[in-house]
Amino acid sequence: MKAPAFDYVRARCLDEALALRVAGDDEAKYLAGGQSLGPLLNLRLARPSRLIDVRRLPELAGWSDEGAMLRIGAGLTHAAIEDGVLPGALGRFLASVARGIAYRAVRNRGTLGGSLAHADPAADWVSTMALLDARLEVRSQSGSRVIAAADLVDGPLSTRLAPEELIVAVRVPKGSPAARWSYRKFNRKPGEFAKAIAAFCVDPERQVCRAVIGATDGAPVVIFEAAELLTSDAACDAAVAAAGFRPGAFQHQVHAVMLRRARLALAEGIA
Amino acid sequence: MKSITLELNGERISTTALPRTHLADLLREELRLTGTHLGCEHGVCGACTLEIDGAPARSCITLAVACDGSTVRTVEGFDADPVMQALRAAFTEHHALQCGYCTPGMLITARDIAMRLPWADEARIREELAGNLCRCTGYVGIVRAIASVIAARNSANGGR
């Protein structure tokens, strides 16, 4: 199918983008890489009045090292992250997650911020950033605020962002040198939407031992005290049941198996 | 209508399109470059894959207006490219196409694999090809063709 009619404007700077959004109507949307919005437009599931293109905004580009945190511009593509532009052990973990996102042709244009704002429950960054306790820097013309990544999603394709708000950057804790991560997802074919996601973040020096169960019916389920899950398959199965999946059902099984595999990957030191 | 300027297959062109027009429709319907094929039109099948600013992209989910100022290379724009010449020969030799509908997208992806991942083994080639569907089930030939080009390039580069 073909997209419905809409207007398009390319913003030259962040302030212009925010001003365009507030001056426009409620049916306007920001457009970044368009790799999620593009399909929704063609399927006519999205019918914006106007798209405000933020893909080339300099304020959304690049990344910076802020000591304890990595500040990643919302406009960074999955491919750039896959290719290792982000430094250190966290950068390598994020690169391994990025490699599993859709297909290279999609990763070349799709962006970190766009994926988070789109809020597909099966999206890799939605679960990963919730796991890592990332903070989203959000701007609108009336000001700025910070949202915890774990609080972003409130349902499938739905976030707590106000319509005029734009994610400009994601701050991710780098962790101590002892920090370790693992990430597993189930899909029948590489690149298709995940049926189940599970991941761990363990950093003893910061008293962090978290897990996430993703590709749910809505927001990812973060388990903030996951130490028990690291030692027991039964605890993994119980956590998946507590996340709302009925034991015995396919959904429970695939999530539980991913959680077990993520636990083994962490123990073996493979992200 | 919005005005769009592209560096298209080495030539600077200016045209216009509605904001809703995706890049593949602009290329096929307005510019008569029908080498780029449309399959699913929601980014899954890979038939419409071409290069934007030097990297493979889906032209069915990329708005033409969003490409204003970009460099676009379609399957028609690789005649002088030695890697693409080698891939075309290898696709013929290994019977890597039957109906040919997926082939333009396959070739763009294959060239990206050969140039970006010169160490790719069969498993990695298959992983990278997951975003390009062939419904004649010709993957065996396609994988062999790509692997043969990678091997030939590596031996030409003194072995890897």
Side-chain angles (χ1 to χ4, degrees), chain A residues 71-255:
Chain A
R71 183 182 184 274
I72 310 170
L76 208 62
T77 63
H78 314 314
I81 296 170
E82 176 187 15
D83 291 345
V85 300
L86 300 174
L90 177 63
R92 286 192 294 279
F93 172 63
L94 295 175
S96 72
V97 173
R99 179 174 152 184
I101 299 174
Y103 315 109
R104 181 72 183 187
V106 171
R107 299 198 288 275
N108 281 328
R109 291 186 78 80
T111 65
L112 171 61
S115 173
L116 290 168
H118 180 66
D120 192 305
D124 296 87
W125 294 137
V126 167
S127 288
T128 303
M129 293 305 167
L131 171 80
L132 297 174
D133 197 25
R135 305 284 145 162
L136 314 181
E137 267 181 59
V138 171
R139 286 279 307 272
S140 69
Q141 208 174 33
S142 56
S144 62
R145 66 177 178 129
V146 173
I147 304 177
D151 297 334
L152 173 70
V153 177
D154 65 356
L157 307 183
S158 174
T159 69
R160 294 188 173 89
L161 293 171
E164 68 278 13
E165 285 183 320
L166 177 69
I167 301 171
V168 295
V170 181
R171 282 197 163 82
V172 189
K174 282 154 64 180
S176 77
R180 286 178 298 137
W181 307 271
S182 68
Y183 188 91
R184 285 292 178 275
K185 65 173 175 177
F186 175 71
N187 29 20
R188 290 168 301 173
K189 180 172 90 74
E192 70 165 15
F193 287 103
K195 302 285 181 292
I197 290 172
F200 283 93
C201 170
V202 177
D203 190 358
E205 290 183 25
R206 291 188 304 145
Q207 282 86 49
V208 168
C209 184
R210 275 195 301 269
V212 71
I213 298 167
T216 66
D217 292 335
V221 176
V222 181
I223 299 153
F224 291 93
E225 304 292 336
E228 199 189 348
L229 274 57
L230 290 176
T231 57
S232 151
D233 279 352
C236 289
D237 295 355
V240 172
F245 297 105
R246 185 170 50 81
F250 169 78
Q251 284 281 341
H252 182 277
Q253 187 173 356
V254 287
H255 283 86

Side-chain angles (χ1 to χ4, degrees), chain B residues 78-93:
Chain B
F78 287 90
D79 287 352
D81 180 80
V83 181
M84 195 60 98
Q85 286 169 355
L87 282 163
R88 285 172 178 172
F91 267 54
T92 303
E93 184 184 339

Side-chain angles (χ1 to χ4, degrees), chain A residues 2-3 8 42 99 108 189, chain B residues 2 20 25 41 56 127 130:
Chain A
K2 309 293 180 187
Y8 168 95
N42 286 0
R99 179 174 152 184
N108 281 328
K189 180 172 90 74
Chain B
K2 302 277 182 187
R20 68 191 282 256
D25 270 349
E41 276 192 296
E127 179 189 328

